[in-house]
Amino acid sequence: MSHDITPPPPPMPGYTPPFGFPPPQPPKKPRTVIVAAAAAVVAAAVAAALTATVTGNSEAEAAPTVTVTETVPAEGTDTAADTDSDPTDEESSGDSDAYALDDTVTYDNDVEVSMSKFSRAVSSDYASPENTPYAKFTIKIVNNSDKTIDASGMTVNCAYGDEGREGESIFDDGLDGLPDTRILAGRSLSVPWGCELPKAETFLQVEAAPDFDSETAIFTGNVK
């Protein structure tokens, strides 16, 4: 009697296995591929979100620009000859490009320059230049603007006589030249000054500006 067992043939299409035998299972997809694909999708979504957050839907706003406005010269100077002015506001020396020695010049930024206390003197033996007749006066700057003025940038130049000879600045006791300070908004500064003026001369011209950025104002007149 033979004990060989021959396995049954494979089921035919549409064949239903007998009761007690499990149905054939479809092949499983590799899990690694699915996980990698999902990770790629998530990474792409995160990258897109970050890009949208950084760039946005519109261009970035431009940085604010700074506009520099040139200081407007005082009315009556050669660069402001075309501006309208009331002749009764200030007493002129007769020259359309100049002011009287005792006038007050007001710039468009509300900075004022004036001169006062004119007198005559002779410099000492230790002055520069020494033993020189000169006109002594006080220059006053009033800062009614909203910015600080660097008074060390003030300019002062003098001339005298009908022929317009240049007058040297006098450095003596109490006449130290340009100040080394600043004028805060709402404050003022008085600077004593001396310009060469021979005893035989009376006409004096003083050109002054409160700082480097301002136009020069011209003051003229006679000193007793």
Side-chain angles (χ1 to χ4, degrees):
M1 183 176 184
S2 175
H3 296 281
D4 293 335
I5 301 176
T6 302
M12 300 298 291
Y15 169 76
T16 300
F19 179 77
F21 290 88
Q25 300 295 325
K28 296 183 178 180
K29 294 182 179 180
R31 179 175 299 179
T32 303
V33 176
I34 297 176
V35 173
V41 173
V42 172
V46 171
L50 290 176
T51 302
T53 302
V54 173
T55 59
N57 294 328
S58 60
E59 296 181 356
E61 295 182 0
T65 58
V66 178
T67 302
V68 180
T69 304
E70 183 179 358
T71 303
V72 179
E75 293 182 359
T77 60
D78 53 356
T79 56
D82 295 334
T83 58
D84 295 331
S85 60
D86 187 350
T88 61
D89 290 344
E90 296 176 345
E91 181 182 357
S92 174
S93 63
D95 188 342
S96 60
D97 293 334
Y99 289 88
L101 289 177
D102 58 354
D103 279 347
T104 297
V105 173
T106 303
Y107 290 80
D108 281 1
N109 60 352
D110 294 328
V111 174
E112 298 179 359
V113 177
S114 62
M115 300 182 187
S116 62
K117 302 179 181 179
F118 284 85
S119 63
R120 286 180 177 265
V122 178
S123 62
S124 67
D125 295 338
Y126 304 98
S128 177
E130 73 277 5
N131 301 318
T132 301
Y134 69 94
K136 183 178 181 180
F137 52 94
T138 298
I139 304 173
K140 185 176 182 180
I141 301 175
V142 180
N143 184 10
N144 290 322
S145 71
D146 56 357
K147 297 181 180 180
T148 300
I149 294 177
D150 186 359
S152 64
M154 183 176 68
T155 59
V156 183
N157 295 289
C158 297
Y160 64 85
D162 294 336
E163 296 180 0
R165 298 187 62 180
E166 183 177 0
E168 293 188 62
S169 297
I170 305 296
F171 299 92
D172 202 351
D173 185 22
L175 299 174
D176 300 323
L178 295 176
D180 187 17
T181 185
R182 297 175 183 271
I183 309 175
L184 300 176
R187 306 291 293 181
S188 63
L189 179 68
S190 295
V191 181
W193 202 268
C195 285
E196 178 186 4
L197 183 64
K199 294 180 179 179
E201 301 288 352
T202 58
F203 180 80
L204 179 66
Q205 175 178 311
V206 182
E207 301 179 13
D211 55 20
F212 283 125
D213 298 326
S214 300
E215 294 290 338
T216 300
I218 303 175
F219 300 84
T220 62
N222 295 319
V223 178
K224 296 179 180 180

